[in-house]
Amino acid sequence: MSDDVFHIWNHYRTGGLGAAARAAASHPESLLYLALLAFADERYAEAAAFAEGAARADPEALLPRAAAVYLARVAREGKRDVYVSAEGFSVFIRGGGNVPLYQETSAALARCYPSEPFELLDIGVGDGMAMLPALTPAVRRVTLVEPAAPLLARTTQELTTRGVTFDAFAGGLREFVAEPRAQPRHWEVAQATFSLQSLAPPDRLASLNWLRARCEVLLIAEFDPPRMDEPLSPETVRHVLARYGEGLAEYAGADFETVAQGFLMPVLFGYADRGMTRTNFEQPIAHWEQLLHEAGFARVDRRLLYPYWWAPAWLLVARS
């Protein structure tokens, strides 16, 4: 991305969208940046026009085309009608780089498990994509924590089919921590695969403290993105646009429109949505390491899982 984005940002902060548009060059990156800024200002027709201009400027590029289609729908139907779809997410999570990502994650979890019988706590288990392939004969009981009831039901059904003993809690980690029956429990291993990022930052240290007191090993799989505190800054936009271009390319076949319009575009433009309540708070992996040390874990090891398109995925192995 050219230095033009810095000129756009400076003019936007001092004179608004009109000043930013007058300062922009007519190449795809600049026009997509303007589309994000217009979206943030809830000027959806203008956002769609900027994205359409980017698509015309580079008709072979996937990202401008997908953005133009998405923003045309927003301008026509309203933002509330174009959120992430269940179908879009389902196809996304089971395709592209997610296939090797979850294969590597499950294998890495299994390698960390004790050989002797042990109890496992899985936080944010979802439908078991990471946990179920990782289970070994040594796992004698699993405690599941998951706020999405349909996902939890699929996981418990599979555990029942396999004959694995389990407890299930339909809620998030904060609610589970407050549950009286959870207080005396102890697990040899606790794990959270791409789920702790949903914890609000002020709640993280207390949650990790609680886990340190109740497990011997904590396994955390998370990405290593840049800070996303200022999502419209040039540095952040440079990362987002480049990475989402790579992500879209992984679905450039029959599933492209389903994934692009049902998941990736709503998420991308969600970064610029000032009216959306955040439910995801990713942070660099070094910040997770620091928090684990602050929570009292004596040793924290970092292991690369997979060079995922959004950001590298790592496994943190924390021991009390």
Short mmCIF file of all heavy atoms in Angstrom, two decimals, residues 13-76:
data_model
loop_
_atom_site.label_atom_id
_atom_site.label_comp_id
_atom_site.label_asym_id
_atom_site.label_seq_id
_atom_site.Cartn_x
_atom_site.Cartn_y
_atom_site.Cartn_z
N ARG A 13 -8.82 13.19 9.32
CA ARG A 13 -8.86 13.63 10.72
C ARG A 13 -9.05 15.14 10.84
O ARG A 13 -9.64 15.61 11.81
CB ARG A 13 -7.59 13.20 11.44
CG ARG A 13 -7.54 11.70 11.72
CD ARG A 13 -6.40 11.35 12.64
NE ARG A 13 -5.10 11.65 12.06
CZ ARG A 13 -3.95 11.51 12.70
NH1 ARG A 13 -3.94 11.08 13.95
NH2 ARG A 13 -2.81 11.79 12.10
N THR A 14 -8.57 15.88 9.86
CA THR A 14 -8.68 17.34 9.96
C THR A 14 -9.89 17.90 9.21
O THR A 14 -10.47 18.90 9.64
CB THR A 14 -7.41 18.01 9.41
OG1 THR A 14 -7.19 17.59 8.05
CG2 THR A 14 -6.21 17.64 10.26
N GLY A 15 -10.29 17.25 8.12
CA GLY A 15 -11.36 17.82 7.31
C GLY A 15 -12.49 16.87 6.96
O GLY A 15 -13.40 17.24 6.21
N GLY A 16 -12.45 15.63 7.48
CA GLY A 16 -13.53 14.69 7.21
C GLY A 16 -13.38 13.95 5.90
O GLY A 16 -12.36 14.05 5.20
N LEU A 17 -14.42 13.22 5.53
CA LEU A 17 -14.38 12.35 4.37
C LEU A 17 -14.17 13.12 3.07
O LEU A 17 -13.43 12.67 2.19
CB LEU A 17 -15.67 11.53 4.29
CG LEU A 17 -15.75 10.51 3.17
CD1 LEU A 17 -14.67 9.43 3.33
CD2 LEU A 17 -17.14 9.87 3.12
N GLY A 18 -14.82 14.27 2.93
CA GLY A 18 -14.67 15.04 1.70
C GLY A 18 -13.23 15.45 1.46
O GLY A 18 -12.72 15.32 0.35
N ALA A 19 -12.56 15.92 2.52
CA ALA A 19 -11.16 16.31 2.39
C ALA A 19 -10.29 15.09 2.08
O ALA A 19 -9.35 15.17 1.27
CB ALA A 19 -10.68 16.98 3.68
N ALA A 20 -10.59 13.94 2.69
CA ALA A 20 -9.82 12.74 2.41
C ALA A 20 -9.99 12.30 0.96
O ALA A 20 -9.02 11.90 0.31
CB ALA A 20 -10.27 11.61 3.35
N ALA A 21 -11.21 12.39 0.43
CA ALA A 21 -11.46 11.99 -0.95
C ALA A 21 -10.72 12.89 -1.93
O ALA A 21 -10.20 12.43 -2.94
CB ALA A 21 -12.95 11.99 -1.23
N ARG A 22 -10.68 14.17 -1.62
CA ARG A 22 -9.97 15.10 -2.52
C ARG A 22 -8.46 14.86 -2.51
O ARG A 22 -7.78 15.14 -3.50
CB ARG A 22 -10.27 16.54 -2.12
CG ARG A 22 -11.70 16.98 -2.42
CD ARG A 22 -11.87 18.47 -2.25
NE ARG A 22 -11.71 18.88 -0.86
CZ ARG A 22 -12.69 18.90 0.05
NH1 ARG A 22 -13.91 18.50 -0.30
NH2 ARG A 22 -12.47 19.30 1.29
N ALA A 23 -7.95 14.30 -1.40
CA ALA A 23 -6.51 14.07 -1.29
C ALA A 23 -6.08 12.73 -1.84
O ALA A 23 -4.89 12.45 -1.96
CB ALA A 23 -6.09 14.16 0.18
N ALA A 24 -7.04 11.87 -2.19
CA ALA A 24 -6.72 10.49 -2.56
C ALA A 24 -6.39 10.35 -4.02
O ALA A 24 -6.95 11.04 -4.87
CB ALA A 24 -7.89 9.58 -2.21
N ALA A 25 -5.48 9.43 -4.31
CA ALA A 25 -5.23 9.04 -5.69
C ALA A 25 -6.24 7.96 -6.08
O ALA A 25 -6.86 7.33 -5.23
CB ALA A 25 -3.81 8.49 -5.82
N SER A 26 -6.41 7.78 -7.37
CA SER A 26 -7.44 6.85 -7.85
C SER A 26 -6.86 5.46 -8.09
O SER A 26 -6.97 4.89 -9.17
CB SER A 26 -8.07 7.40 -9.14
OG SER A 26 -8.74 8.60 -8.88
N HIS A 27 -6.24 4.88 -7.06
CA HIS A 27 -5.82 3.49 -7.19
C HIS A 27 -6.57 2.65 -6.14
O HIS A 27 -7.12 3.19 -5.17
CB HIS A 27 -4.30 3.32 -7.10
CG HIS A 27 -3.65 3.96 -5.91
ND1 HIS A 27 -3.80 3.47 -4.62
CD2 HIS A 27 -2.84 5.03 -5.81
CE1 HIS A 27 -3.10 4.21 -3.79
NE2 HIS A 27 -2.52 5.17 -4.48
N PRO A 28 -6.62 1.35 -6.32
CA PRO A 28 -7.53 0.52 -5.52
C PRO A 28 -7.35 0.63 -4.02
O PRO A 28 -8.33 0.69 -3.27
CB PRO A 28 -7.22 -0.91 -6.02
CG PRO A 28 -6.69 -0.72 -7.39
CD PRO A 28 -5.93 0.56 -7.37
N GLU A 29 -6.09 0.67 -3.56
CA GLU A 29 -5.87 0.72 -2.12
C GLU A 29 -6.46 1.98 -1.51
O GLU A 29 -7.12 1.95 -0.46
CB GLU A 29 -4.38 0.63 -1.80
CG GLU A 29 -3.73 -0.66 -2.20
CD GLU A 29 -3.22 -0.65 -3.64
OE1 GLU A 29 -3.52 0.30 -4.38
OE2 GLU A 29 -2.51 -1.60 -4.01
N SER A 30 -6.25 3.11 -2.16
CA SER A 30 -6.78 4.37 -1.65
C SER A 30 -8.30 4.37 -1.66
O SER A 30 -8.94 4.84 -0.71
CB SER A 30 -6.26 5.53 -2.50
OG SER A 30 -4.85 5.61 -2.45
N LEU A 31 -8.88 3.83 -2.71
CA LEU A 31 -10.34 3.82 -2.81
C LEU A 31 -10.97 2.88 -1.78
O LEU A 31 -12.02 3.18 -1.21
CB LEU A 31 -10.75 3.42 -4.22
CG LEU A 31 -10.41 4.47 -5.29
CD1 LEU A 31 -10.55 3.87 -6.69
CD2 LEU A 31 -11.29 5.71 -5.16
N LEU A 32 -10.31 1.76 -1.50
CA LEU A 32 -10.81 0.87 -0.45
C LEU A 32 -10.69 1.52 0.92
O LEU A 32 -11.56 1.34 1.79
CB LEU A 32 -10.07 -0.46 -0.48
CG LEU A 32 -10.45 -1.42 -1.60
CD1 LEU A 32 -9.55 -2.65 -1.57
CD2 LEU A 32 -11.92 -1.84 -1.49
N TYR A 33 -9.63 2.26 1.13
CA TYR A 33 -9.48 3.00 2.39
C TYR A 33 -10.61 4.01 2.54
O TYR A 33 -11.23 4.13 3.61
CB TYR A 33 -8.12 3.68 2.41
CG TYR A 33 -7.69 4.21 3.77
CD1 TYR A 33 -8.30 3.79 4.95
CD2 TYR A 33 -6.66 5.14 3.87
CE1 TYR A 33 -7.89 4.28 6.19
CE2 TYR A 33 -6.23 5.63 5.09
CZ TYR A 33 -6.86 5.19 6.25
OH TYR A 33 -6.44 5.67 7.47
N LEU A 34 -10.91 4.73 1.47
CA LEU A 34 -12.02 5.68 1.51
C LEU A 34 -13.34 4.97 1.77
O LEU A 34 -14.22 5.49 2.48
CB LEU A 34 -12.08 6.46 0.21
CG LEU A 34 -10.97 7.48 -0.04
CD1 LEU A 34 -11.05 8.02 -1.46
CD2 LEU A 34 -11.05 8.64 0.97
N ALA A 35 -13.50 3.77 1.22
CA ALA A 35 -14.73 3.01 1.47
C ALA A 35 -14.87 2.67 2.94
O ALA A 35 -15.97 2.76 3.51
CB ALA A 35 -14.73 1.74 0.63
N LEU A 36 -13.77 2.31 3.59
CA LEU A 36 -13.81 2.02 5.02
C LEU A 36 -14.15 3.28 5.82
O LEU A 36 -14.95 3.23 6.78
CB LEU A 36 -12.46 1.46 5.48
CG LEU A 36 -12.19 0.00 5.15
CD1 LEU A 36 -10.70 -0.32 5.26
CD2 LEU A 36 -12.98 -0.91 6.09
N LEU A 37 -13.56 4.40 5.47
CA LEU A 37 -13.84 5.65 6.18
C LEU A 37 -15.29 6.07 5.99
O LEU A 37 -15.95 6.52 6.94
CB LEU A 37 -12.89 6.74 5.70
CG LEU A 37 -11.40 6.52 6.00
CD1 LEU A 37 -10.55 7.60 5.32
CD2 LEU A 37 -11.14 6.53 7.51
N ALA A 38 -15.79 5.93 4.77
CA ALA A 38 -17.19 6.28 4.51
C ALA A 38 -18.12 5.35 5.28
O ALA A 38 -19.15 5.78 5.83
CB ALA A 38 -17.48 6.21 3.01
N PHE A 39 -17.79 4.08 5.34
CA PHE A 39 -18.60 3.12 6.11
C PHE A 39 -18.62 3.52 7.57
O PHE A 39 -19.68 3.48 8.22
CB PHE A 39 -18.03 1.72 5.94
CG PHE A 39 -18.87 0.64 6.56
CD1 PHE A 39 -19.82 -0.02 5.80
CD2 PHE A 39 -18.71 0.28 7.88
CE1 PHE A 39 -20.60 -1.02 6.36
CE2 PHE A 39 -19.48 -0.72 8.45
CZ PHE A 39 -20.43 -1.37 7.69
N ALA A 40 -17.47 3.91 8.11
CA ALA A 40 -17.39 4.33 9.51
C ALA A 40 -18.29 5.54 9.77
O ALA A 40 -18.86 5.68 10.86
CB ALA A 40 -15.95 4.65 9.89
N ASP A 41 -18.42 6.41 8.77
CA ASP A 41 -19.26 7.61 8.89
C ASP A 41 -20.72 7.34 8.54
O ASP A 41 -21.52 8.27 8.49
CB ASP A 41 -18.73 8.71 7.97
CG ASP A 41 -17.43 9.33 8.48
OD1 ASP A 41 -17.03 9.00 9.62
OD2 ASP A 41 -16.82 10.12 7.74
N GLU A 42 -21.04 6.05 8.27
CA GLU A 42 -22.39 5.63 7.90
C GLU A 42 -22.87 6.29 6.60
O GLU A 42 -24.06 6.50 6.39
CB GLU A 42 -23.39 5.88 9.03
CG GLU A 42 -23.05 5.10 10.30
CD GLU A 42 -24.08 5.27 11.39
OE1 GLU A 42 -24.84 6.26 11.37
OE2 GLU A 42 -24.14 4.40 12.28
N ARG A 43 -21.95 6.55 5.72
CA ARG A 43 -22.25 7.10 4.40
C ARG A 43 -22.10 5.95 3.39
O ARG A 43 -21.13 5.84 2.65
CB ARG A 43 -21.32 8.29 4.10
CG ARG A 43 -21.59 9.43 5.07
CD ARG A 43 -20.49 10.47 5.13
NE ARG A 43 -20.36 11.25 3.91
CZ ARG A 43 -19.62 12.36 3.82
NH1 ARG A 43 -19.00 12.84 4.91
NH2 ARG A 43 -19.53 13.01 2.68
N TYR A 44 -23.11 5.09 3.41
CA TYR A 44 -22.98 3.80 2.74
C TYR A 44 -23.00 3.90 1.23
O TYR A 44 -22.31 3.13 0.55
CB TYR A 44 -24.07 2.86 3.25
CG TYR A 44 -24.03 2.67 4.74
CD1 TYR A 44 -25.17 2.82 5.51
CD2 TYR A 44 -22.83 2.36 5.39
CE1 TYR A 44 -25.13 2.65 6.90
CE2 TYR A 44 -22.78 2.19 6.77
CZ TYR A 44 -23.94 2.34 7.51
OH TYR A 44 -23.89 2.18 8.87
N ALA A 45 -23.77 4.81 0.67
CA ALA A 45 -23.78 4.97 -0.77
C ALA A 45 -22.40 5.40 -1.28
O ALA A 45 -21.92 4.92 -2.31
CB ALA A 45 -24.86 5.97 -1.20
N GLU A 46 -21.78 6.33 -0.54
CA GLU A 46 -20.44 6.76 -0.93
C GLU A 46 -19.42 5.64 -0.75
O GLU A 46 -18.51 5.47 -1.57
CB GLU A 46 -20.03 7.99 -0.10
CG GLU A 46 -20.83 9.24 -0.46
CD GLU A 46 -20.64 10.34 0.56
OE1 GLU A 46 -19.66 11.10 0.41
OE2 GLU A 46 -21.46 10.44 1.49
N ALA A 47 -19.57 4.86 0.33
CA ALA A 47 -18.68 3.72 0.53
C ALA A 47 -18.78 2.75 -0.63
O ALA A 47 -17.76 2.25 -1.15
CB ALA A 47 -19.02 3.01 1.84
N ALA A 48 -20.02 2.47 -1.09
CA ALA A 48 -20.22 1.57 -2.22
C ALA A 48 -19.58 2.13 -3.49
O ALA A 48 -18.99 1.40 -4.29
CB ALA A 48 -21.71 1.32 -2.42
N ALA A 49 -19.70 3.44 -3.69
CA ALA A 49 -19.12 4.07 -4.88
C ALA A 49 -17.60 3.98 -4.87
O ALA A 49 -16.97 3.71 -5.90
CB ALA A 49 -19.58 5.52 -4.98
N PHE A 50 -17.00 4.21 -3.71
CA PHE A 50 -15.53 4.09 -3.61
C PHE A 50 -15.09 2.66 -3.91
O PHE A 50 -14.11 2.44 -4.64
CB PHE A 50 -15.05 4.50 -2.21
CG PHE A 50 -15.12 5.97 -1.94
CD1 PHE A 50 -15.69 6.43 -0.76
CD2 PHE A 50 -14.62 6.89 -2.83
CE1 PHE A 50 -15.75 7.80 -0.48
CE2 PHE A 50 -14.67 8.27 -2.57
CZ PHE A 50 -15.25 8.71 -1.39
N ALA A 51 -15.79 1.67 -3.36
CA ALA A 51 -15.42 0.27 -3.59
C ALA A 51 -15.61 -0.11 -5.05
O ALA A 51 -14.80 -0.85 -5.62
CB ALA A 51 -16.25 -0.64 -2.68
N GLU A 52 -16.68 0.39 -5.67
CA GLU A 52 -16.90 0.12 -7.09
C GLU A 52 -15.77 0.72 -7.93
O GLU A 52 -15.30 0.10 -8.89
CB GLU A 52 -18.24 0.68 -7.53
CG GLU A 52 -18.58 0.46 -8.99
CD GLU A 52 -18.65 -1.01 -9.36
OE1 GLU A 52 -19.07 -1.83 -8.51
OE2 GLU A 52 -18.27 -1.34 -10.51
N GLY A 53 -15.32 1.90 -7.54
CA GLY A 53 -14.18 2.49 -8.23
C GLY A 53 -12.93 1.64 -8.09
O GLY A 53 -12.15 1.49 -9.04
N ALA A 54 -12.71 1.08 -6.89
CA ALA A 54 -11.55 0.21 -6.68
C ALA A 54 -11.66 -1.04 -7.55
O ALA A 54 -10.66 -1.51 -8.11
CB ALA A 54 -11.45 -0.17 -5.21
N ALA A 55 -12.87 -1.60 -7.67
CA ALA A 55 -13.06 -2.79 -8.50
C ALA A 55 -12.81 -2.48 -9.97
O ALA A 55 -12.25 -3.31 -10.70
CB ALA A 55 -14.47 -3.34 -8.29
N ARG A 56 -13.23 -1.31 -10.43
CA ARG A 56 -12.96 -0.94 -11.83
C ARG A 56 -11.48 -0.72 -12.07
O ARG A 56 -10.95 -1.05 -13.13
CB ARG A 56 -13.74 0.33 -12.19
CG ARG A 56 -15.23 0.13 -12.35
CD ARG A 56 -15.86 1.30 -13.08
NE ARG A 56 -15.59 2.56 -12.38
CZ ARG A 56 -16.36 3.09 -11.46
NH1 ARG A 56 -17.47 2.46 -11.08
NH2 ARG A 56 -16.05 4.23 -10.88
N ALA A 57 -10.78 -0.18 -11.06
CA ALA A 57 -9.36 0.09 -11.21
C ALA A 57 -8.53 -1.18 -11.27
O ALA A 57 -7.45 -1.20 -11.87
CB ALA A 57 -8.87 0.99 -10.07
N ASP A 58 -9.02 -2.26 -10.62
CA ASP A 58 -8.28 -3.53 -10.63
C ASP A 58 -9.29 -4.66 -10.73
O ASP A 58 -9.61 -5.33 -9.75
CB ASP A 58 -7.45 -3.66 -9.35
CG ASP A 58 -6.48 -4.83 -9.42
OD1 ASP A 58 -6.52 -5.59 -10.41
OD2 ASP A 58 -5.68 -4.99 -8.48
N PRO A 59 -9.81 -4.90 -11.94
CA PRO A 59 -10.91 -5.86 -12.10
C PRO A 59 -10.54 -7.30 -11.79
O PRO A 59 -11.42 -8.13 -11.58
CB PRO A 59 -11.31 -5.70 -13.58
CG PRO A 59 -10.14 -5.07 -14.24
CD PRO A 59 -9.48 -4.23 -13.20
N GLU A 60 -9.26 -7.63 -11.73
CA GLU A 60 -8.84 -9.00 -11.43
C GLU A 60 -8.70 -9.27 -9.94
O GLU A 60 -8.64 -10.43 -9.52
CB GLU A 60 -7.50 -9.31 -12.13
CG GLU A 60 -7.55 -9.19 -13.64
CD GLU A 60 -8.58 -10.12 -14.26
OE1 GLU A 60 -8.66 -11.28 -13.82
OE2 GLU A 60 -9.31 -9.68 -15.16
N ALA A 61 -8.64 -8.22 -9.14
CA ALA A 61 -8.43 -8.38 -7.70
C ALA A 61 -9.73 -8.81 -7.02
O ALA A 61 -10.80 -8.28 -7.30
CB ALA A 61 -7.90 -7.09 -7.10
N LEU A 62 -9.63 -9.76 -6.10
CA LEU A 62 -10.81 -10.29 -5.43
C LEU A 62 -11.39 -9.34 -4.39
O LEU A 62 -12.61 -9.21 -4.26
CB LEU A 62 -10.47 -11.63 -4.76
CG LEU A 62 -10.05 -12.77 -5.69
CD1 LEU A 62 -9.59 -13.97 -4.87
CD2 LEU A 62 -11.21 -13.16 -6.59
N LEU A 63 -10.52 -8.68 -3.62
CA LEU A 63 -11.01 -7.87 -2.51
C LEU A 63 -11.85 -6.68 -2.97
O LEU A 63 -12.95 -6.46 -2.42
CB LEU A 63 -9.84 -7.41 -1.64
CG LEU A 63 -10.20 -6.53 -0.44
CD1 LEU A 63 -11.24 -7.20 0.45
CD2 LEU A 63 -8.94 -6.19 0.36
N PRO A 64 -11.42 -5.87 -3.93
CA PRO A 64 -12.27 -4.75 -4.35
C PRO A 64 -13.63 -5.22 -4.86
O PRO A 64 -14.65 -4.59 -4.56
CB PRO A 64 -11.45 -4.08 -5.46
CG PRO A 64 -10.04 -4.45 -5.17
CD PRO A 64 -10.10 -5.83 -4.61
N ARG A 65 -13.64 -6.31 -5.61
CA ARG A 65 -14.91 -6.82 -6.14
C ARG A 65 -15.85 -7.26 -5.02
O ARG A 65 -17.04 -6.95 -5.01
CB ARG A 65 -14.64 -7.99 -7.08
CG ARG A 65 -15.86 -8.49 -7.83
CD ARG A 65 -15.51 -9.66 -8.71
NE ARG A 65 -15.42 -10.90 -7.94
CZ ARG A 65 -14.81 -11.99 -8.37
NH1 ARG A 65 -14.18 -11.99 -9.53
NH2 ARG A 65 -14.79 -13.08 -7.64
N ALA A 66 -15.29 -8.01 -4.05
CA ALA A 66 -16.12 -8.47 -2.94
C ALA A 66 -16.62 -7.29 -2.11
O ALA A 66 -17.78 -7.28 -1.67
CB ALA A 66 -15.31 -9.43 -2.06
N ALA A 67 -15.77 -6.30 -1.88
CA ALA A 67 -16.17 -5.11 -1.11
C ALA A 67 -17.28 -4.35 -1.83
O ALA A 67 -18.23 -3.87 -1.21
CB ALA A 67 -14.97 -4.21 -0.87
N ALA A 68 -17.16 -4.24 -3.16
CA ALA A 68 -18.17 -3.51 -3.92
C ALA A 68 -19.52 -4.21 -3.84
O ALA A 68 -20.57 -3.55 -3.66
CB ALA A 68 -17.72 -3.39 -5.38
N VAL A 69 -19.53 -5.53 -3.94
CA VAL A 69 -20.80 -6.28 -3.85
C VAL A 69 -21.40 -6.11 -2.46
O VAL A 69 -22.60 -5.86 -2.31
CB VAL A 69 -20.56 -7.77 -4.17
CG1 VAL A 69 -21.81 -8.59 -3.86
CG2 VAL A 69 -20.16 -7.94 -5.62
N TYR A 70 -20.58 -6.24 -1.45
CA TYR A 70 -21.07 -6.14 -0.07
C TYR A 70 -21.63 -4.75 0.22
O TYR A 70 -22.74 -4.60 0.76
CB TYR A 70 -19.94 -6.47 0.89
CG TYR A 70 -20.34 -6.30 2.35
CD1 TYR A 70 -21.17 -7.24 2.96
CD2 TYR A 70 -19.89 -5.21 3.09
CE1 TYR A 70 -21.54 -7.10 4.28
CE2 TYR A 70 -20.27 -5.07 4.41
CZ TYR A 70 -21.09 -6.01 5.01
OH TYR A 70 -21.46 -5.85 6.31
N LEU A 71 -20.89 -3.71 -0.14
CA LEU A 71 -21.32 -2.35 0.18
C LEU A 71 -22.53 -1.93 -0.64
O LEU A 71 -23.35 -1.13 -0.17
CB LEU A 71 -20.16 -1.38 -0.02
CG LEU A 71 -19.04 -1.54 1.02
CD1 LEU A 71 -17.84 -0.68 0.65
CD2 LEU A 71 -19.54 -1.18 2.42
N ALA A 72 -22.66 -2.46 -1.84
CA ALA A 72 -23.88 -2.19 -2.61
C ALA A 72 -25.10 -2.75 -1.88
O ALA A 72 -26.16 -2.12 -1.86
CB ALA A 72 -23.76 -2.80 -4.01
N ARG A 73 -24.95 -3.91 -1.28
CA ARG A 73 -26.05 -4.49 -0.49
C ARG A 73 -26.34 -3.64 0.75
O ARG A 73 -27.50 -3.43 1.11
CB ARG A 73 -25.70 -5.91 -0.06
CG ARG A 73 -25.78 -6.94 -1.17
CD ARG A 73 -25.38 -8.31 -0.65
NE ARG A 73 -26.22 -8.72 0.47
CZ ARG A 73 -25.79 -9.44 1.51
NH1 ARG A 73 -24.52 -9.79 1.58
NH2 ARG A 73 -26.62 -9.80 2.45
N VAL A 74 -25.29 -3.18 1.42
CA VAL A 74 -25.49 -2.33 2.60
C VAL A 74 -26.23 -1.06 2.20
O VAL A 74 -27.17 -0.63 2.89
CB VAL A 74 -24.14 -2.00 3.26
CG1 VAL A 74 -24.34 -0.97 4.38
CG2 VAL A 74 -23.49 -3.25 3.83
N ALA A 75 -25.81 -0.45 1.11
CA ALA A 75 -26.46 0.79 0.67
C ALA A 75 -27.91 0.55 0.28
O ALA A 75 -28.78 1.40 0.50
CB ALA A 75 -25.67 1.38 -0.51
N ARG A 76 -28.18 -0.62 -0.25
CA ARG A 76 -29.53 -0.94 -0.73
C ARG A 76 -30.44 -1.46 0.38
O ARG A 76 -31.61 -1.07 0.47
CB ARG A 76 -29.41 -1.99 -1.84
CG ARG A 76 -30.72 -2.36 -2.52
CD ARG A 76 -30.47 -3.31 -3.67
NE ARG A 76 -29.91 -4.58 -3.25
CZ ARG A 76 -28.66 -4.98 -3.51
NH1 ARG A 76 -27.84 -4.19 -4.19
NH2 ARG A 76 -28.23 -6.16 -3.11
#
